[in-house]
Amino acid sequence: LENTDPVHKISVISRGQALGYTISLPTEDKFLTTRAELSDTMAMTLGGRAAEEIVFGEVTTGASNDLEKVTATAKQMVMRFGMSEKLGPRVFGHDHGQPFLGREFSSEPDYSDDVAREIDAEIRRIVEEAHQLARQILGQHREDLDHTSEILLRRETIERDQFLALLEGKAELEVFGPDEPVLPPPPPPPAAPADERKPERKPSPLPRPGFAGGSAD
């Protein structure tokens, strides 16, 4: 996907409520986002769900957060950014709220029920197009998907340079190098020598009265 940020790291180590994660970082500062970038980002976000369908023929609850993000993006594209060709360049609903009082922003509809159904249909179309794009790309690169997944299960984390090298067809040993040998634990420190006990010096007996310093006459 040419309109997405490059992958920085992939990991299957649990982080918070996520069983794994993929970090993508932009190469430059961005102030605006195009429709193509939003669409490709949604397709990338749905990669996990698409992989479940392709590999296992079943879906799990693991992609719940991804679905939430994609749905919110599609809704913004239709209702806020005017990116729906069918509904045209307009904004639907008036946002109002008082967040400084602890209230959340809400949207007051200013459109009919018929338009609401069209909005729902557009949101569903945008999400489904991203979903199908994710399935198409993973299907075309199924061998890379399986190979990278096997390595990820063994290594747990793959950095960007390693990921690109694997996609270029390099072997795992060439990318990661030989496994570091397990060094034996250091030997315990030598026991301290036992203290040699010196013989105790017995106190000298006190002189008898009248005999100290010489004989008594």
Side-chain angles (χ1 to χ4, degrees):
L1 294 170
E2 60 179 345
N3 296 304
T4 58
D5 295 327
V7 173
H8 179 69
K9 177 186 291 188
I10 308 172
S11 178
V12 293
I13 300 176
S14 299
R15 186 178 185 181
Q17 296 182 350
L19 300 178
Y21 58 90
T22 299
I23 299 177
S24 298
L25 298 178
T27 56
E28 58 184 7
D29 294 335
K30 291 183 179 180
F31 302 97
L32 298 174
T33 306
T34 66
R35 178 165 54 184
E37 290 173 340
L38 291 174
S39 298
D40 284 359
T41 300
M42 287 192 296
M44 181 182 67
T45 305
L46 290 173
R49 166 55 66 91
E52 288 180 344
E53 297 171 349
I54 293 174
V55 177
F56 304 111
E58 182 62 279
V59 295
T60 70
T61 59
S64 59
N65 185 252
D66 297 333
L67 296 175
E68 182 178 352
K69 292 179 180 178
V70 168
T71 303
T73 299
K75 185 176 181 180
Q76 291 290 317
M77 291 175 66
V78 174
M79 301 185 66
R80 301 261 69 81
F81 306 144
M83 292 182 176
S84 169
E85 295 180 357
K86 182 177 181 180
L87 297 175
R90 60 165 293 191
V91 174
F92 296 93
H94 296 291
D95 286 338
H96 63 87
Q98 295 175 319
F100 51 87
L101 295 179
R103 301 178 183 176
E104 296 181 353
F105 280 104
S106 59
S107 178
E108 179 181 352
D110 58 352
Y111 44 84
S112 64
D113 292 341
D114 292 338
V115 174
R117 283 189 287 270
E118 292 181 358
I119 292 174
D120 290 339
E122 280 294 278
I123 293 174
R124 180 173 182 175
R125 178 188 63 81
I126 293 174
V127 173
E128 186 58 30
E129 286 181 355
H131 178 218
Q132 292 302 323
L133 178 59
R135 286 181 58 94
Q136 176 186 348
I137 293 175
L138 291 179
Q140 294 173 351
H141 300 275
R142 175 63 188 273
E143 185 176 349
D144 291 331
L145 171 63
D146 294 338
H147 181 57
T148 305
S149 300
E150 293 173 358
I151 296 176
L152 187 59
L153 290 176
R154 290 193 295 269
R155 302 284 178 173
E156 294 187 338
T157 299
I158 299 178
E159 302 291 342
R160 169 175 169 77
D161 294 340
Q162 298 168 341
F163 178 61
L164 294 178
L166 291 174
L167 293 181
E168 292 174 357
K170 294 184 179 180
E172 180 180 359
L173 183 61
E174 182 181 1
V175 174
F176 294 91
D179 294 335
E180 296 182 0
V182 179
L183 300 178
D195 295 338
E196 297 181 359
R197 301 185 63 183
K198 298 180 180 180
E200 297 181 358
R201 184 177 180 181
K202 296 182 179 180
S204 302
L206 297 176
R208 295 173 58 187
F211 290 94
S215 59
D217 293 336

